[in-house]
Amino acid sequence: MEKDILIVGGGIGGLTAALALAQRGYKVRVLEAAPEFGAIGYGIQLGPNVFHMFERLGLSEAVLRVSIVPRALVMLDALDGHEVAVVPTGESFEARFKHHYIVLHRIDLHHVLLDACKALAAVELVPSTAAVSFEDMGERVRVYSKDGRTFEAAAVIGADGLGSAMRAQMLAEGAPNFIGYVAHRTIVPMEYVPAGVRRDDVVLWGGPGFHIVHYPLRQNTLFNIVAVFRTTTYAEKGDLAGHRAEVEKTYRDSQPAMKSLLAMMDLERRWAISDREPIRHWHRGRAVLLGDAAHPTIQSLAQGACMAIEDAVCLAELIHAAQGDFATAFRRYTSARLLRTARVQLESRALWPFYHAEGIARDVRNETTAQWSEKDMFRCLAWLYDGFALPSESEEIRRRVQAGSRV
Ligand SMILES: Cc1cc2nc3c(=O)[nH]c(=O)nc-3n(C[C@H](O)[C@H](O)[C@H](O)COP(=O)(O)OP(=O)(O)OC[C@H]3O[C@@H](n4cnc5c(N)ncnc54)[C@H](O)[C@@H]3O)c2cc1C
């Protein structure tokens, strides 16, 4: 059996897949377009579900060392400042979901994954290598890079994100669906943040057509701020003064704390918020997709990276179980992951107007959430935070149940 695999994209999903496969004895080459393996330097939230995967990979302690466990997830109304909803993430949360909710620097998460990959001789990291296409040759697959190099392996995993070149070749479809919102992201030293604005929580201020998310990082030395809002000017070439003027106008009715956060933000760079419709087929021949390449989602549930990590561990397990039968492995992987990831895509879309409600919709939201208890919140999140049973675990549970029923 051929045990060499190519991975296109060295982001969170690609590196996790490399690690999970190498731990099962596969030889993996990761092709990354950027000149270095790294991450954009902002924060990331990870739900407790991802720890089931970190435990499999032996990474839980290393990840926790560079993380903060927030006190709660808090949603505040951007217009009057009142608390719309609170999900406590302390003791009761851990008792219910068995693991922590964490926030950390993306660079730190990347380093944990990179260090683990580098410790295994079976992982080869190939930077400055943008894949442009692949060719399925029946028994092997080839990947061609932009600068004319060719790489060959038994199978290829496309972990190349929202703008995936691998997906573009597999499926005849257009650009991702831009939802009309953009994000600005900033990290500032904690000492610059006014005392009245600092909080130990993950805070989301929701307003009509805009929101701000913030949380502390790196032992409370840094403060991560993300400002997201509706715009019609995304396609225009913006300058800093133009961005600042647009932000000031958009957030003019927001709470003073939000305005002081915006004043600290670097507004030069913008990210378009986009997703795609869920699809049923993530593989063709010896090529398969994972993470944002397979099921890009908007970030309402803060779960895109979590889904990429769950995909990666599941895929590695099924490739291993199929012993070289990639068609079976990819079919089982897609079927195991499809509905969970589609639900994240669809519920993330459904949550967007909830965050940005205005007028009567805002009043209805606020009155409804005032009735929600901690128990209600935990019940709503259970499908996600209880985690994903890897196929081997579900089979084990089924076997045990069958054995038990025969006794
Ligand atoms: C504002 C914002 C906030 C978010 N917050 C959260 C959060 O709190 N929690 C969470 O779980 N998720 C969050 N997400 C989503 C998360 O960032 C993504 O879902 C996650 O990064 C997807 O991982 P990935 O490995 O599939 O793709 P990516 O992280 O996009 O990685 C793809 C990699 O492939 C490389 N690449 C691209 N094309 C090629 C090519 N042709 N050849 C070779 N290499 C290539 C890229 O350089 C990159 O390194 C957020 C997203 C946004 C926009």
Side-chain angles (χ1 to χ4, degrees):
M1 183 192 45
E2 305 281 2
K3 293 196 84 171
D4 59 335
I5 294 189
L6 283 169
I7 297 177
V8 174
I12 291 167
L15 289 180
T16 308
L19 180 62
L21 284 163
Q23 287 177 339
R24 287 171 174 78
Y26 288 79
K27 207 164 163 288
V28 189
R29 252 189 304 180
V30 188
L31 312 180
E32 167 57 47
E36 275 178 43
F37 281 75
I40 46 157
Y42 303 103
I44 190 160
Q45 310 173 46
L46 299 177
N49 49 308
V50 86
F51 277 95
H52 297 277
M53 304 298 125
F54 287 153
E55 280 187 351
R56 277 284 169 131
L57 299 165
L59 295 181
S60 291
E61 274 181 34
V63 172
L64 276 173
R65 262 198 299 277
V66 291
S67 302
I68 286 181
V69 178
R71 198 187 56 89
L73 312 177
V74 180
M75 181 174 174
L76 301 172
D77 188 306
L79 300 185
D80 63 16
H82 96 271
E83 228 169 55
V84 176
V86 181
V87 181
T89 44
E91 267 179 37
S92 57
F93 183 92
E94 284 158 38
R96 171 63 189 80
F97 295 113
K98 312 286 182 278
H99 294 284
H100 296 289
Y101 192 98
I102 56 166
V103 289
L104 70 167
H105 207 303
R106 279 177 188 254
I107 289 175
D108 296 340
L109 175 60
H110 236 81
H111 274 140
V112 168
L113 293 168
L114 268 178
D115 290 349
C117 284
K118 283 178 184 165
L120 297 172
V123 181
E124 187 190 346
L125 301 171
V126 191
S128 301
T129 305
V132 284
S133 62
F134 67 94
E135 184 184 2
D136 195 327
M137 298 176 304
E139 293 301 302
R140 303 280 287 166
V141 65
R142 279 195 187 138
V143 171
Y144 300 102
S145 72
K146 198 173 172 184
D147 58 7
R149 283 171 293 153
T150 303
F151 301 85
E152 199 180 298
V156 60
I157 298 172
D160 46 348
L162 177 68
S164 171
M166 300 289 297
R167 176 171 175 142
Q169 185 177 332
M170 272 187 209
L171 305 162
E173 43 173 28
N177 162 46
F178 171 52
I179 66 163
Y181 281 72
V182 292
H184 287 283
R185 308 198 244 201
T186 300
I187 287 185
V188 290
M190 189 61 91
E191 63 261 30
Y192 294 175
V193 184
V197 178
R198 294 181 194 181
R199 289 184 68 143
D200 298 337
D201 311 302
V202 174
V203 175
L204 185 146
W205 295 88
F210 60 84
H211 74 260
I212 288 183
V213 172
H214 59 75
Y215 47 85
L217 293 174
R218 282 200 185 144
Q219 295 166 332
N220 289 308
T221 58
L222 300 175
F223 202 67
N224 186 73
I225 314 167
V226 187
V228 178
F229 57 92
R230 192 164 50 213
T231 179
T232 52
T233 64
Y234 180 68
E236 295 164 21
K237 192 174 157 27
D239 58 5
L240 186 54
H243 286 175
R244 173 82 46 206
E246 186 181 19
V247 164
E248 278 169 11
K249 185 163 174 249
T250 304
Y251 289 85
R252 64 188 176 281
D253 297 325
S254 66
Q255 287 290 293
M258 295 176 71
K259 289 183 182 159
S260 60
L261 289 166
L262 292 166
M264 287 185 282
M265 290 199 73
D266 168 11
L267 297 178
E268 200 129 23
R269 186 162 172 207
R270 290 182 162 189
W271 282 265
I273 309 294
S274 306
D275 70 357
R276 285 188 186 277
E277 291 296 329
I279 51 163
R280 287 187 192 280
H281 302 291
W282 303 354
H283 58 98
R284 207 175 77 191
R286 287 178 173 256
V288 67
L289 304 174
L290 67 69
D292 276 6
H295 43 71
T297 177
I298 54 175
Q299 71 269 25
S300 324
L301 286 165
Q303 278 282 330
C306 300
M307 289 301 111
I309 292 168
E310 287 184 354
D311 282 356
V313 177
C314 174
L315 178 58
E317 185 157 296
L318 290 173
I319 287 176
H320 189 51
Q323 295 287 308
D325 178 356
F326 289 101
T328 298
F330 295 167
R331 203 173 46 248
R332 289 187 67 203
Y333 154 73
T334 309
S335 122
R337 296 294 302 152
L338 177 66
L339 296 187
R340 180 166 170 82
T341 54
R343 185 164 177 188
V344 168
Q345 288 173 289
L346 298 173
E347 290 211 8
S348 294
R349 279 187 188 172
L351 265 178
W352 205 252
F354 175 85
Y355 290 163
H356 303 121
E358 45 195 309
I360 294 176
R362 169 175 166 255
D363 299 342
V364 170
R365 176 195 70 192
N366 292 353
E367 197 190 73
T368 311
T369 54
Q371 322 290 325
W372 290 353
S373 66
E374 176 183 296
K375 214 168 147 205
D376 294 331
M377 302 280 197
F378 287 178
R379 201 179 49 241
C380 284
L381 291 163
W383 70 273
L384 188 55
Y385 291 171
D386 274 341
F388 167 70
L390 286 163
S392 58
E393 289 166 356
S394 345
E395 272 157 28
E396 177 61 21
I397 292 165
R398 216 174 300 128
R399 258 199 307 275
R400 269 194 248 143
V401 169
Q402 277 167 1
S405 64
R406 264 187 255 118
V407 173

